[in-house]
Amino acid sequence: MNKKLVISSFLIMFSVVCLSITVYAATTGFSLRVNGIAIKGEAKVIDGVTYVPLRTVIEGMEGSYHVMPESNTISILRRDISMYGGYTESNPLHSGSKAYFEMNENFNKFIGSVSIEETSKGKDALKVFQEKKEPAPSGYSYVLIKVNLHILASEKPGALLSMNNYRFEYIDSVTLKRTPSFMFPKYSPSVSEGKPFNGWVGFLIPEGHESGMIVLSSTDDRQNALWMKVE
C-alpha cells in the first residue's frame, strides 16, 4: 500500500475519533442539584465552559426570573430580598435600608427598589407640611415617611406605575386596621424608568399607635406586600 495513502487514512481515522470525542464531550449532560435537591434540566460543558438553564436554577433557589423582551431586559431577584418573601411583618424593612420588589399591575410587570429615608411624626410632621396643614383632630396624629422609589425595569418600556393613596397603607399595631395615605391628589404622580418618586407619604392615625407598619403593594393585591417599620 502506498505510504502516503496509509498516512492519509490514519489521519482521517484519527480526526474522526477526535471529532467523536469532541461531540460526545459537548453533548454529555450533567444532572443539577440546588441545595442538595435535584431539579429538572441538565448542564453541559462545552469547550471548558459550563452551561446551565438559568431560569431553572434561579427558580430552584426560590428566586425570581423575568424576561422582558420589549425592553431587552432579564431581571433576576433573590427571593430573600424581593417583595414576596423578604420583608414581612416579622422581618420588616427599616429606615436607611433598601428593598427590591416585583409588582404586576395593568397587565405589566415592574421591577423596582424602595427605601425609607426619614420618618416624621406629630408636630414635626406639620413642619413638613410647611404649616399649610391643620393640626390633627383630637386623638389622632400625623405620621409621615419619606420614600425613595425607583423603577429599574418594566415589561413595556416607558410604562407608568401610579402612586395613588392605596399604594402605601399604614397597619395599626393594635387593631391591625389598614389606613391608606392621604398625600396624593386626585391626579396621582407616576413613576417609570428614569423617573423615580422621592417624597413624603402621610397617614392620619390614632395617637399612641405610631409604632405600626407601612405596606407597599399593588392596588389589587393586599396579601403580597413589602413591609416597612415605622421608626
Side-chain angles (χ1 to χ4, degrees):
M1 182 180 292
N2 188 296
K3 186 176 181 180
K4 290 185 178 180
L5 180 60
V6 172
I7 294 175
S8 298
S9 299
F10 174 77
L11 291 175
I12 292 173
M13 291 177 64
F14 180 75
S15 299
V16 170
V17 171
C18 290
L19 180 61
S20 298
I21 293 174
T22 301
V23 171
Y24 178 79
T27 57
T28 299
F30 294 81
S31 61
L32 291 173
R33 287 180 176 272
V34 174
N35 294 327
I37 300 175
I39 61 174
K40 293 182 179 180
E42 64 177 19
K44 294 182 179 180
V45 178
I46 302 176
D47 295 331
V49 179
T50 303
Y51 295 85
V52 297
L54 184 60
R55 180 169 198 151
T56 302
V57 172
I58 293 298
E59 293 179 347
M61 298 175 70
E62 297 186 350
S64 173
Y65 176 99
H66 305 288
V67 177
M68 302 179 174
E70 292 188 32
S71 59
N72 295 320
T73 302
I74 293 178
S75 175
I76 298 172
L77 291 179
R78 283 168 36 201
R79 183 57 61 182
D80 60 329
I81 63 172
S82 68
M83 176 179 290
Y84 304 114
Y87 294 99
T88 61
E89 183 176 8
S90 60
N91 180 37
L93 178 71
H94 290 266
S95 295
S97 299
K98 180 185 292 186
Y100 296 87
F101 64 85
E102 56 190 58
M103 190 176 291
N104 296 303
E105 192 159 290
N106 297 327
F107 304 101
N108 199 359
K109 185 183 294 293
F110 297 89
I111 306 297
S113 68
V114 63
S115 61
I116 300 176
E117 298 184 348
E118 189 179 346
T119 302
S120 184
K121 304 176 184 178
K123 294 181 179 179
D124 290 336
L126 289 176
K127 298 178 182 178
V128 176
F129 293 126
Q130 297 178 347
E131 300 181 357
K132 294 181 181 179
K133 191 76 175 179
E134 296 180 358
S138 177
Y140 286 82
S141 177
Y142 290 120
V143 171
L144 306 181
I145 61 170
K146 192 173 185 181
V147 174
N148 194 333
L149 189 150
H150 288 256
I151 298 300
L152 305 177
S154 57
E155 199 162 27
K156 299 177 182 178
L160 299 176
L161 181 67
S162 175
M163 300 299 294
N164 59 53
N165 288 326
Y166 286 87
R167 180 69 62 204
F168 293 92
E169 292 183 304
Y170 179 88
I171 299 182
D172 192 299
S173 60
V174 177
T175 65
L176 301 183
K177 177 183 177 181
R178 292 190 177 218
T179 301
S181 168
F182 62 79
M183 295 293 287
F184 302 114
K186 180 178 180 181
Y187 299 102
S188 305
S190 297
V191 292
S192 60
E193 291 183 67
K195 183 185 175 183
F197 170 78
N198 188 283
W200 292 93
V201 179
F203 306 90
L204 183 63
I205 62 174
E207 288 183 343
H209 294 186
E210 295 91 343
S211 60
M213 301 279 188
I214 306 295
V215 292
L216 165 65
S217 67
S218 298
T219 54
D220 58 351
D221 188 352
R222 294 292 180 269
Q223 298 300 317
N224 296 307
L226 190 152
W227 291 67
M228 296 171 281
K229 178 69 174 176
V230 176
E231 297 174 306

